[in-house]
Amino acid sequence: MRVTTVGVVGAGAMGSGIAALAASAGCRVVLLDIPGDPDPASPNRSAPARTGLQKTLKAKPAAFMDASAAARVRTGNTEDDLGLLAECDWICEAIIEQPAPKQALFERIEALMKPTAIISSNTSGIPMGVLLAGRGEKFRRRFLGTHFFNPPRYMHLLEIIPTPETDPAVIGAIRTFAERTLGKGIVIAKDVPGFVANRLGVYGMVATMRRMEEHGITIDEVDGLTGALIGRARTATFRTGDLTGIDVLGHVTKGIGAATGEDFSMPGWVHEQLIATGKLGDKTGGGFYSKTKEGTLTFDWKNGQYVPQQRLEGGEIGQLIRMPLEQRLKAAVKLPGAQGAFLRDHLADAAHYTLTLASTLAYDIVAIDRAMEWGYGWEAGPFQVMDALGLDWLREQFKADGKDIPPLLDQAQGSFYKGEDALTFDSTYEPVPTIPGRISLAGLAKSGRVLEENGLSRLLDMGDGVACFEFRSKMNSLGAGVLEGLASALRKVEKLGFNGLVIGNEDPRAFSVGADLSLVSFAVSAGAWDDIEASIKAFQDATISIRRAPFPVVVAPAGMTLGGGAEFTLHADAVQAHAETYMGLVEVGVGLLPGGGGTKELLVRFTGELQQYEEVDLFAAVKRAFKLIAFATTSTSAMEARSYGMLRASDRISMNRDHQLSDAKQRVLDLAPGYLPPTERTVRALGREGIGNLEYALWAAQEAGQASAHDVRVGRAVAYVLCGGNGAARDVTETDILDLEREQFLSLLGTKETQERIAHTLKTGKPLRN
């Protein structure tokens, strides 16, 4: 069963988000919603679906990985266009969170679905058995739950909820599609109200609200205590509520409460002062928080008014957040006063609820941990948190609070995890289930597969004659230690006769943020200009060595891929990018130009694409490269990086980060037979004529107040390199352009304004316009 055409019914935030993700992945999508006008002839008949799609195109953060993917989405309404679903391989229901409308929709879909179609519900908590009422055997075998998390593009978790009647082949097909095509991390959940993540997460939100009232603290205090401090998402509790929608939270809590018999009710002020007055969160411009021109306001639940936000960022809490998680948790529960008492109650209550329900919700504790990490953005799942707090601490808290000791806690022999094993519900320890297709660099290191390391980088054996070079510096910045490690790695791979090399890592934030500016600033202050020039040359040599290695080198970027990180990527034989790759040559932000081969590579790449044709204007290539560099253009996805030309058509994209290194390794193996390194390229440089055209654009920008005098100075340096200097048009080699890059980089670095920009960025993390 292959899924290529997707139908989504319901064009709200979740439905349109699922449609955007599927379209971004390359699927054809049908997106339907209720009719917008009772008149069948009305042009507004399908307005709700069109509006949902338009909102998704404007969403921040972006729901589409490339806006052009919206062309793959066909909109319609459920009265006139339901027949379009007959061609869909997978039909996902994402309408109002109430059983009756969902049941009615499934009755209509059953009559038209093709025999091989997979049908699913994106319900956030209604049991599948309820939704299947009245459906026939064939429908039941093709049906299951697929619970996405908001926003669907960015949240890794997909809970799959099969019923006892679901065909195992259907489970396998949707799992493969979701993992490989949509990039999801899969948790198989039991068919119980709220499933795994929402049952625990929503309980945690409701219990936190009540506990806030008990301890008399504020919404700001709660979010400061229940976010990064304890390894949860930065959006913590109430900010998450605003993102989700407080009305949605109301529906979910009501539904789970009714289905379980547990008290999931939110405090009265949430309903009376927020939901009833239309303050539903981000979608209405205000909820628990409200953004104004004067700044962010926080709802004061005690008096029903908005007050200036008071974030908990400094002092002891600010220091704790910088600690490793285990140390952070143990220190956090020792905080004094009402905040400490709140936090101890919060962590103990969450642990007790999880321990009590674990075997009801999931098939193992690893699934529960992954659900909360992937669906709620936790740094570590609840059982890992319990291990960090210590099981004896939990027992003491439970006794002090008058709670029973859950049997699962008694089954644990000191901890829930022991090395690579985890406690099962049968009281034994078994290996942690592997994630299909994932190569773990940390796992390779633990198994003795490190070939060499220097503290800032390491080289690992991935198997099958492929090595992986991994940055290990802060934010994977590229300093002398990393460059030395790369040179040694290239020699080692050649000496061992390996098939090739992958350059990649497992950092969730960044492939690399580029060169270490602090070292540059220090060298400038010391007046070590010869050393600086030598360092620039060494960086250029490093990027060129990737291109000239006698074996294929595949770069696997993910997350921030900036400056030098982008330059490494540009010089690879092939790129295996994660879909969430944010790539850009951003050096102009600190008053420099890309000096590690990035300026050269864009010029040679874009000019090379054009000069094979007769009577073509090569200035178009220069202009294209200039705009990317001068505006520090950074992609919001790998797909967008491809549209900019920073990735080539031949470069590949992994939707699932868990698969990326395995995909990159396979790419090396594909390229290795008969591999020959590319030779140096020559292109036509436009000289002073091209510079003149670009300088006019710079002058116009300055006249319009869009560029400062130093912006123009930087832009001229970029133009000078891209045009091969200020002479006549001529043929230039890559080496010629690299020489110009180095010359202009040094010239800019010598200016007071650039030095001020670097110092400001190092101090504040933000660019300076001077």
Side-chain angles (χ1 to χ4, degrees):
M1 284 176 274
R2 294 195 62 180
V3 176
T4 60
T5 304
V6 175
V8 181
V9 185
M14 286 302 298
S16 58
I18 294 167
L21 175 62
S24 296
C27 298
R28 290 181 295 123
V29 180
V30 173
L31 177 63
L32 306 181
D33 208 317
I34 59 174
D37 192 311
D39 181 1
S42 170
N44 295 321
R45 189 80 163 151
S46 296
R50 287 198 302 269
T51 300
L53 181 62
Q54 288 302 314
K55 285 183 177 179
T56 304
L57 276 166
K58 298 174 183 177
K60 292 185 183 300
F64 283 96
M65 292 180 178
D66 186 351
S68 65
R72 300 190 186 104
V73 181
R74 180 177 180 180
T75 57
N77 69 78
T78 52
E79 291 300 320
D80 307 321
D81 305 304
L82 200 69
L84 295 174
L85 299 179
E87 66 186 58
C88 295
D89 304 306
W90 169 44
I91 303 169
C92 180
E93 169 273 313
I95 64 173
I96 189 170
E97 192 66 358
Q98 296 174 12
K102 294 177 186 288
Q103 292 165 341
L105 175 64
F106 289 138
E107 182 179 6
R108 298 177 65 200
I109 290 174
E110 184 175 20
L112 58 84
M113 60 181 275
K114 63 183 182 181
T116 57
I118 298 170
I119 315 299
S120 73
S121 173
N122 183 56
T123 176
S124 56
I126 302 172
M128 299 302 111
V130 173
L131 299 180
L132 280 172
R135 302 284 60 76
E137 180 187 354
K138 289 183 180 180
F139 186 96
R140 289 169 175 269
R141 289 185 60 78
R142 310 298 301 176
F143 181 83
L144 74 175
T146 51
H147 180 214
F148 289 82
F149 284 72
N150 196 29
R153 170 181 167 180
Y154 298 97
M155 300 309 294
H156 190 48
L157 177 63
L158 174 65
E159 289 178 321
I160 291 180
I161 309 98
T163 75
E165 298 172 87
T166 307
D167 186 340
V170 168
I171 302 171
I174 200 68
R175 177 169 193 154
T176 298
F177 170 73
E179 285 179 332
R180 174 55 69 177
T181 305
L182 301 183
K184 293 300 163 193
I186 303 300
V187 165
I188 303 295
K190 293 185 177 180
D191 188 15
V192 295
F195 316 126
V196 179
N198 270 358
R199 182 68 170 272
L200 298 178
V202 174
Y203 170 82
M205 292 183 76
V206 170
T208 299
M209 293 178 189
R210 296 177 190 157
R211 199 167 295 111
M212 174 181 71
E213 292 181 323
E214 291 170 11
H215 290 277
I217 61 176
T218 66
I219 284 176
D220 284 331
E221 287 179 290
V222 169
D223 273 0
L225 294 169
T226 61
L229 177 64
I230 58 172
R232 307 282 175 86
R234 295 182 66 86
T235 50
T237 300
F238 292 101
R239 183 74 189 96
T240 298
D242 276 353
L243 287 169
T244 303
I246 304 175
D247 57 332
V248 173
L249 195 57
H251 285 304
V252 173
T253 54
K254 182 179 179 181
I256 296 178
T260 63
E262 298 176 28
D263 184 5
F264 269 77
S265 61
M266 294 186 290
W269 56 266
V270 177
H271 295 280
E272 297 159 10
Q273 299 183 54
L274 296 178
I275 296 177
T277 60
K279 297 170 183 173
L280 307 179
D282 285 5
K283 60 186 174 185
T284 60
F288 296 118
Y289 295 97
S290 178
K291 291 186 178 179
T292 69
K293 293 180 180 179
E294 290 73 31
T296 301
L297 302 177
T298 306
F299 187 76
D300 185 338
W301 61 270
K302 295 177 183 178
N303 62 27
Q305 303 296 316
Y306 283 95
V307 296
Q309 185 180 33
Q310 300 291 325
R311 301 181 69 172
L312 297 186
E313 291 183 335
E316 186 174 5
I317 289 176
Q319 294 175 2
L320 293 182
I321 287 175
R322 292 191 285 272
M323 292 180 177
L325 181 60
E326 184 172 348
Q327 296 177 30
R328 206 186 315 157
L329 286 165
K330 288 181 175 177
V333 295
K334 295 177 182 177
L335 287 170
Q339 292 180 354
F342 163 85
L343 205 47
R344 288 187 289 275
D345 286 352
H346 173 75
L347 290 168
D349 183 61
H352 192 273
Y353 190 76
T354 302
L355 288 165
T356 303
L357 284 181
S359 61
T360 302
L361 305 181
Y363 294 96
D364 53 65
I365 69 168
V366 177
I368 292 173
D369 278 352
R370 288 175 177 169
M372 300 313 293
E373 291 169 22
W374 296 344
Y376 276 74
W378 288 20
E379 190 176 337
F383 287 95
Q384 293 169 310
V385 168
M386 290 183 227
D387 278 353
L389 288 168
L391 304 195
D392 288 340
W393 182 88
L394 287 173
R395 290 187 181 93
E396 291 173 5
Q397 287 296 126
F398 294 163
K399 289 177 182 177
D401 295 341
K403 291 178 165 41
D404 65 304
I405 304 298
L408 189 58
L409 183 59
D410 280 336
Q411 294 170 24
Q413 300 167 25
S415 64
F416 292 103
Y417 288 90
K418 292 183 180 294
E420 300 300 315
D421 296 338
L423 180 70
T424 70
F425 296 139
D426 295 326
S427 302
T428 60
Y429 284 83
E430 300 290 342
V432 172
T434 58
I435 297 173
R438 181 171 183 248
I439 293 177
S440 166
L441 298 184
L444 291 178
K446 286 182 180 178
S447 61
R449 305 284 284 278
V450 176
L451 297 172
E452 60 183 28
E453 59 182 324
N454 67 4
L456 295 173
S457 65
R458 68 182 175 189
L459 183 69
L460 301 113
D461 183 354
M462 302 178 79
D464 300 315
V466 179
C468 180
F469 180 70
E470 178 188 17
F471 311 141
R472 294 179 63 78
S473 52
K474 183 178 180 180
M475 293 298 289
N476 302 314
S477 59
L478 304 175
V482 173
L483 300 186
E484 291 164 5
L486 174 63
S488 179
L490 292 170
R491 291 192 297 268
K492 187 82 169 181
V493 170
E494 183 176 11
K495 182 179 179 180
L496 293 173
F498 274 26
N499 288 306
L501 178 69
V502 170
I503 300 178
N505 59 52
E506 296 175 309
D507 192 313
R509 304 161 300 171
F511 170 70
S512 173
V513 295
D516 188 340
L517 283 177
S518 64
L519 298 178
V520 175
S521 182
F522 179 79
V524 169
S525 64
W529 292 102
D530 289 343
D531 292 342
I532 293 172
E533 182 171 11
S535 295
I536 301 168
K537 181 66 165 61
F539 199 104
Q540 290 181 333
D541 290 344
T543 56
I544 293 299
S545 71
I546 294 171
R547 173 68 53 78
R548 302 282 166 78
F551 45 78
V553 178
V554 174
V555 172
M560 290 184 286
T561 303
L562 307 176
E567 289 175 313
F568 270 38
T569 304
L570 287 167
H571 285 82
D573 290 298
V575 177
Q576 188 72 43
H578 180 230
E580 299 298 343
T581 296
Y582 315 126
M583 183 175 176
L585 296 168
V586 296
E587 288 85 349
V588 297
V590 290
L592 295 168
L593 55 69
T599 309
K600 177 272 302 179
E601 187 59 27
L602 289 188
L603 171 67
V604 173
R605 179 177 294 187
F606 295 163
T607 303
E609 291 172 358
L610 293 181
Q611 67 181 10
Q612 58 185 308
Y613 303 106
E614 294 182 6
E615 299 182 8
V616 68
D617 182 5
L618 295 181
F619 182 69
V622 174
K623 180 181 177 182
R624 184 182 182 192
F626 181 82
K627 288 174 68 176
L628 288 176
I629 295 169
F631 292 104
T633 303
T634 301
S635 72
T636 60
S637 70
M639 289 75 165
E640 196 170 66
R642 178 182 281 162
S643 72
Y644 292 153
M646 289 187 280
L647 295 182
R648 298 157 293 196
S650 60
D651 291 328
R652 297 178 182 174
I653 297 171
S654 297
M655 288 294 288
N656 195 326
R657 182 77 193 275
D658 291 330
H659 297 168
Q660 184 189 14
L661 290 174
S662 179
D663 293 343
K665 174 186 171 182
Q666 186 58 50
R667 190 79 170 115
V668 168
L669 294 172
D670 292 343
L671 293 171
Y675 176 82
L676 292 172
T679 57
E680 185 170 27
R681 295 164 292 176
T682 299
V683 295
R684 188 71 174 172
L686 300 183
R688 67 174 66 92
E689 182 179 347
I691 292 175
N693 289 337
L694 293 175
E695 284 191 332
Y696 177 78
L698 290 168
W699 173 83
Q702 187 175 18
E703 286 295 300
Q706 299 170 344
S708 68
H710 194 59
D711 291 333
V712 172
R713 169 74 180 84
V714 176
R716 283 176 177 154
V718 174
Y720 186 86
V721 176
L722 288 173
C723 295
N726 195 25
R730 63 188 177 114
D731 291 336
V732 295
T733 65
E734 291 181 79
T735 301
D736 293 331
I737 301 300
L738 287 171
D739 290 342
L740 293 174
E741 252 189 21
R742 198 164 60 253
E743 169 195 308
Q744 291 302 307
F745 186 98
L746 283 165
S747 175
L748 291 171
L749 189 57
T751 65
K752 175 175 67 71
E753 292 83 0
T754 287
Q755 292 170 20
E756 289 173 346
R757 290 188 180 189
I758 292 173
H760 182 82
T761 299
L762 287 171
K763 183 178 180 180
T764 68
K766 299 177 181 179
L768 171 69
R769 294 297 302 276
N770 59 351

